[in-house]
Amino acid sequence: QVQLVESGGGLVQAGGSLKLSCAASGRRFSPYIMGWFRQAPGKERQFVAAISRAGGYKSYADSVKGRFTISRDNAKNTVSLQMNSLKPEDTAVYYCAADPAGLWEYNRRDTSQYDYWGQGTQVTVSS
């Protein structure tokens, strides 16, 4: 089992920045592909970013490309999401997720690829 705990959410004005963190515990972290997703009220959970096991490959949703950066520290069992130039449409609950067995080539945007999920952290961007 893997436990994921997100932190770093909050209220920020448009144009501001936030850094989300996800701490993993329970099993070895470094073999896992990690992803960030978000879900706004009344909408489906959508892909934000993903990072490969060693951090050499990253993938981003078009809506956040150039503004968000995903990173990981396998020694500390953490994955982070630096969010800059935030927009009101970025408002959502943000979740981190872990895929322990998949290949990077799989569809990283598919929620079913990820076996473990955190409880989420709220990000609210005011206009």
Side-chain angles (χ1 to χ4, degrees):
Q1 277 288 354
V2 175
Q3 291 79 45
L4 303 174
V5 179
E6 303 95 337
S7 61
L11 173 64
V12 64
Q13 287 188 332
S17 299
L18 281 175
K19 185 174 183 178
L20 305 184
S21 294
C22 174
S25 62
R27 289 183 66 179
R28 226 177 118 215
F29 174 71
S30 57
Y32 300 157
I33 294 171
M34 299 298 296
W36 283 97
F37 289 76
R38 66 187 182 187
Q39 189 166 18
K43 295 188 176 181
E44 292 188 351
R45 193 167 297 188
Q46 65 174 191
F47 170 77
V48 175
I51 189 167
S52 61
R53 291 177 173 80
Y57 295 98
K58 300 176 184 181
S59 177
Y60 296 94
D62 288 344
S63 59
V64 307
K65 203 171 292 183
R67 300 188 297 122
F68 291 10
T69 302
I70 190 171
S71 61
R72 68 188 297 161
D73 185 337
N74 287 341
K76 296 182 179 180
N77 286 1
T78 59
V79 61
S80 299
L81 185 69
Q82 177 67 46
M83 306 186 295
N84 298 329
S85 302
L86 283 161
K87 304 175 181 180
E89 51 264 42
D90 295 318
T91 295
V93 178
Y94 283 70
Y95 300 89
C96 73
D99 175 5
L103 300 178
W104 179 250
E105 291 75 14
Y106 294 169
N107 183 2
R108 292 294 114 208
R109 288 162 166 74
D110 185 354
T111 57
S112 68
Q113 296 292 338
Y114 300 84
D115 292 340
Y116 302 104
W117 293 83
Q119 83 291 348
T121 185
Q122 176 71 46
V123 172
T124 303
V125 184
S126 63
S127 58

